[in-house]
Amino acid sequence: SQQGEEDPQALSIQEGENATMNCSYKTSINNLQWYRQNSGRGLVHLILIRSNEREKHSGRLRVTLDTSKKSSSLLITASRAADTASYFCATPFSAGNMLTFGGGTRLMVKP
Amino acid sequence: EPEVTQTPSHQVTQMGQEVILRCVPISNHLYFYWYRQILGQKVEFLVSFYNNEISEKSEIFDDQFSVERPDGSNFTLKIRSTKLEDSAMYFCASSEGRGNSGNTIYFGEGSWLTVV
């Protein structure tokens, strides 16, 4: 399976701190996507990083990709209570169109 | 920003009944998907659809499921005879190009299906 797995499963931090979530996957990919899901809501796309990219930024988000270690990380800087959500990495499966999702990291940012 | 819209947001149905979940993908997108998420579990792929036909489907997408693009804008998921274990959040998604080619896949807000 090409499933990504996030680590840690749960993370609790204070507002203003940085949050780092990691994702590992099993086979070669050409891109990896990060999504956020607020409780009971839809999946919001955060960042797509391609296999030829090592780092990508979007606002307070920074994503890295290490294809040699088959891992990615999502860093949220200066976290806010509104960042409280589950964060998922998703990788394409084989040559097809489907994404496979990990179990997610549940982030709680305490005010 | 364009978005994928889904209806209904929540549906309660009796076991054995047919359910149709509706989606309006982003207008210039060519690839459409259904995923589901059972409460507390991972998001799981069901089916992808391109050029008016299914391009991939998972083991979950058995004969009780079907998809259709009845017109130029809607994309539907039909569950013919619902079972208790079909209770889940169903997400519609779309992308401009192939998911494996670095195209962002955009998801809707989901339709909660509760089978009683």
Side-chain angles (χ1 to χ4, degrees), chain A residues 37-43 86 88 101-104, chain B residues 35-46 86-91 111-113:
Chain A
Q37 183 182 35
N38 289 69
S39 182
R41 303 293 301 275
L43 295 159
S86 290
F88 297 89
F101 285 79
Chain B
Y35 286 76
R36 79 171 185 191
Q37 185 180 32
I38 295 170
L39 189 64
Q41 297 187 23
K42 296 181 181 182
V43 176
E44 300 173 293
F45 170 79
L46 293 179
D86 294 327
S87 295
M89 175 80 100
Y90 288 81
F91 292 108
S111 294
W112 268 114
L113 175 65

Side-chain angles (χ1 to χ4, degrees), chain B residues 1-100:
Chain B
E1 183 176 299
E3 58 182 20
V4 176
T5 56
Q6 291 185 241
T7 54
S9 57
H10 191 193
Q11 182 161 352
V12 181
T13 191
Q14 295 275 344
M15 192 167 54
Q17 294 295 306
E18 176 180 285
V19 161
I20 297 176
L21 305 178
R22 293 182 166 82
C23 169
V24 179
I26 295 172
S27 64
N28 64 330
H29 285 186
L30 300 176
Y31 293 81
F32 315 116
Y33 315 85
W34 284 100
Y35 286 76
R36 79 171 185 191
Q37 185 180 32
I38 295 170
L39 189 64
Q41 297 187 23
K42 296 181 181 182
V43 176
E44 300 173 293
F45 170 79
L46 293 179
V47 66
S48 63
F49 191 86
Y50 169 71
N51 201 24
N52 283 319
E53 60 183 25
I54 290 173
S55 50
E56 285 174 282
K57 59 182 181 179
S58 71
E59 292 175 353
I60 302 168
F61 194 88
D62 60 21
D63 291 344
Q64 69 161 149
F65 292 94
S66 62
V67 289
E68 193 178 30
R69 188 152 163 84
D71 53 43
S73 59
N74 292 285
F75 179 51
T76 63
L77 174 69
K78 182 190 290 187
I79 308 174
R80 259 181 277 283
S81 178
T82 50
K83 299 177 270 197
L84 294 176
E85 55 265 38
D86 294 327
S87 295
M89 175 80 100
Y90 288 81
F91 292 108
C92 176
S94 69
S95 63
E96 201 170 343
R98 291 175 61 85
N100 195 41

